Amino acid sequence: MDRRTFLALCLAGCADPSMDLTPKVTPFPSQLTPASPEPLPSLTASGDPDFDAWAQGFYKRAAQAGLPADLLDRELGGLLPDPRVTGLDTRQPEFAKPFSDYIKGVVTEDRVAIGQRKRSELQSLLGPIEQTYGVAADVLLGVWAMETGYGASLGGFDVIRSMATLAAQGRRRQFAEDQLMAALRIIGSGEFPRSRLIGSWAGAMGQTQFIPTSFLSTAVDGDGDGKRDIWGSAPDALASAANLLAKGGWNRGECWAREVLAPKDFDFSLTEGPRETPGWWAAQGLRPADGQAWNGPDQAAKAMLAAPTGASGPLFLLFPNHFAIRTYNNATTYALAVGLLADRFSGLGPLTTPWPVETPLALDDRIGAQKALIALGFDPGVPDGVVGINTRSALRAWQKSKGLIADGYLSMAMVGLLQAEVPIP
Ligand code: CA
């Protein structure tokens, strides 16, 4: 009985609880001893019953979704979960890297110098891409720098295996299964073989790190050879990134953010709050840090104030293009890093307000602060140590109630103040 016949029987018989499949699970051919009786093939025999059960179920779902059996047999047969992927998916660092350290680590003079060189070398490529998609070439260079160091490190993971691992046992199983399905479609279409589908442990592929669903929907051929080779072709990778940002809402001609300065009595509870025009913000007392006027298109755009390291650090008005960058990675840190690199590539100097020196907060400090906010009647959400928008809003509300600068920034000093109010044992 070949594998396909077995699977057909299995799929037909799976609804019958009396049909015990366990004895039919067979090792890979390479693990068989010559003395074994003729093996009954199975899709996977990883030694991990959960993974094998997921694989059987996925096979059925993929077949129902129209993926051909020979493709599924070939790509899924004998698949093993990748323990490195599981480890990377579940890691939780004890200390969250302070924002300023993160930015200083990625917006380095080296990276800026390479970006400026690429900018001049690739001018004839970047100009037409910017013209076609409307996305600032410097931002595309920033994405390229952040994602793979300008194409230098594409990740070494087999995307099929990584996505299967995450679909079976990861934190975002449906997402991973959707990506696996898309990766199989890429292979099935003949566009690229599995050996080319190399990416990060999380399934991001090529020089500008496209997940398989984005590849299918959004990758484009930038060099005109008829292929969307985001691994081997920088023009393809950069044009694809431009297409993704354009679809993500990039507005041609607008900036992504401007550094601003606030007066001493500024109401910092406006941070992460309203989206208003630069004129509205000017009426609240904010002004561009470089002293230059707003450019035309920016004057009508609505921007949100961010104070990523609190009132004493650099302040930014984030324009819609900042949120378009977050199509790539929905984190303020990431989008700021891309944008700050882009600004430096374009020749702007370092920020007017320097990044402060921050004290890393231990997980216990962050959870303790969240529990204190709950005890004080403010709602940071589940006290999980992740300082997200809910924690920052709750902190701002508490700071405001105490007459403190309501910037929502959880510094070590703020942890101390909270714990002084509500001692956490
Ligand atoms: Ca191409």
Side-chain angles (χ1 to χ4, degrees), residues 220-229 233 235-236:
V220 292
D221 173 22
D223 58 15
D225 71 350
K227 297 196 180 83
R228 305 185 286 176
D229 184 1
S233 161
D236 288 5

Side-chain angles (χ1 to χ4, degrees), residues 283-328:
Q284 315 306 311
L286 296 184
R287 61 186 198 282
D290 58 10
Q292 303 294 309
W294 298 96
N295 85 31
D298 294 341
Q299 287 183 38
K302 294 198 167 177
M304 188 180 91
L305 177 63
T309 53
S312 67
L315 308 175
F316 301 93
L317 281 186
L318 303 177
F319 284 79
N321 285 344
H322 165 90
F323 298 94
I325 297 172
R326 283 163 70 161
T327 315
Y328 248 102

